[in-house]
Amino acid sequence: MSTLPTERAVRTTTEGLLWEPSARWVRGRKGEVTVVDSRHPVLVWEPGIPVPTYAFPRQEVREDLLRPAKNPPTGTHTGSRIFYDLDVDGHLVANAAWTFPAADLADHIAFEWFRRVGRGLDHWYEEEEEIFIHPRDPHKRVDAIPSSRHVVVEIDGTVVADTHRPVLLFETGLPTRYYIPREDVRLDLLEPTDHHTGCPYKGTARYRSSRTQANIVWSYPDPLPAVGAVKDLLAFYNEEVDITVDGERQERPVTPFTRTVPSPK
């Protein structure tokens, strides 16, 4: 009897890697050239890195485009020793791919994602949907839920947002984010910037700065369908502002985003 994907246990290697098979059809391209076309990918989590990457059976990778790396970054990717440069139409991408140092994954090749590290494959697809930055974690949920909670946001003692109609975004491993309609935000205190970031769960975010903190608030002009309720709403870094919900001041959480919001120059 076959095992349902949801019943499969995550495997652990002696090197500390976690991995599990994925049922998704995954393709990766460099420019217009398809380098990966896999119906048997595996998701791999490296120690200390909260997001997964894909690794692919060799037979589902264009190995003819790979060359032994001229200057392999030995010791990265959990002690990997086998790295490859990618040669596409005479354009060489250094250390674009590697093999994890685990017997379970010896016949698999992983690739860097350009939009995450600045090198590697440009475009990635799960089925017919393009994905960005890194693979989506099947053990993570992202839910955007309209609410009638009373949310007040302050920066340096000044109220910059006050609403009874937020959308609460619950994302596994992160604090609740409060997305607020523009009409309930003091936009005169916030200046748009050129900064943007990508998220595989939500889309591409645009940012605004306050007078004291750069890129402290963001919005998604064109969010992915799963979180369409946050379209054009504004969210603030809980880590760097004061948020009061239904009269209760929230503690500033400590997350990977803590103290990453610089002051404007």
Side-chain angles (χ1 to χ4, degrees), residues 156-177:
D156 299 327
T158 298
V159 174
V160 295
D162 188 332
T163 190
H164 286 272
R165 46 179 185 158
V167 171
L168 275 55
L169 191 135
F170 302 94
E171 183 170 351
T172 305
L174 288 174
T176 303
R177 301 299 190 188

Side-chain angles (χ1 to χ4, degrees), residues 181-261:
R182 290 171 179 264
E183 297 82 3
D184 297 337
V185 177
R186 287 282 307 275
L187 294 179
D188 59 306
L189 301 178
L190 302 169
E191 186 71 22
T193 74
D194 294 330
H195 185 60
H196 66 276
T197 58
C199 172
Y201 306 101
K202 298 183 287 293
T204 299
R206 304 293 179 181
Y207 287 77
R208 293 172 181 258
S209 294
S210 71
R211 293 168 184 168
T212 58
Q213 291 179 295
N215 303 316
I216 192 70
V217 57
W218 69 90
S219 62
Y220 288 95
D222 188 22
L224 295 176
V227 293
V230 304
K231 180 179 175 63
D232 289 328
L233 306 186
L234 299 171
F236 295 78
Y237 276 109
N238 311 46
E239 298 86 344
E240 305 295 335
V241 303
D242 293 313
I243 297 179
T244 301
V245 180
D246 291 338
E248 182 178 347
R249 178 66 62 89
Q250 306 297 297
E251 291 187 9
R252 291 188 181 185
V254 177
T255 77
F257 298 101
T258 301
R259 289 185 296 276
T260 63
V261 182

Side-chain angles (χ1 to χ4, degrees), residues 88-217:
V88 177
D89 297 330
H91 176 66
L92 197 69
V93 181
N95 302 309
W98 72 93
T99 298
F100 285 110
D104 293 357
L105 301 171
D107 293 329
H108 290 69
I109 297 175
F111 287 82
E112 300 286 10
W113 291 42
F114 180 83
R115 298 193 188 187
R116 184 178 179 195
V117 299
R119 70 177 188 279
L121 302 191
D122 304 319
H123 298 281
W124 289 93
Y125 300 86
E126 290 177 346
E127 303 301 329
E128 296 302 323
E129 183 177 339
E130 186 169 8
I131 55 175
F132 306 93
I133 312 300
H134 61 78
R136 288 174 286 202
D137 189 329
H139 303 286
K140 184 169 186 170
R141 285 189 63 95
V142 180
D143 298 305
I145 304 177
S147 176
S148 60
R149 289 175 182 255
H150 185 198
V151 177
V152 178
V153 181
E154 298 175 63
I155 298 178
D156 299 327
T158 298
V159 174
V160 295
D162 188 332
T163 190
H164 286 272
R165 46 179 185 158
V167 171
L168 275 55
L169 191 135
F170 302 94
E171 183 170 351
T172 305
L174 288 174
T176 303
R177 301 299 190 188
Y178 301 93
Y179 283 78
I180 300 173
R182 290 171 179 264
E183 297 82 3
D184 297 337
V185 177
R186 287 282 307 275
L187 294 179
D188 59 306
L189 301 178
L190 302 169
E191 186 71 22
T193 74
D194 294 330
H195 185 60
H196 66 276
T197 58
C199 172
Y201 306 101
K202 298 183 287 293
T204 299
R206 304 293 179 181
Y207 287 77
R208 293 172 181 258
S209 294
S210 71
R211 293 168 184 168
T212 58
Q213 291 179 295
N215 303 316
I216 192 70
V217 57

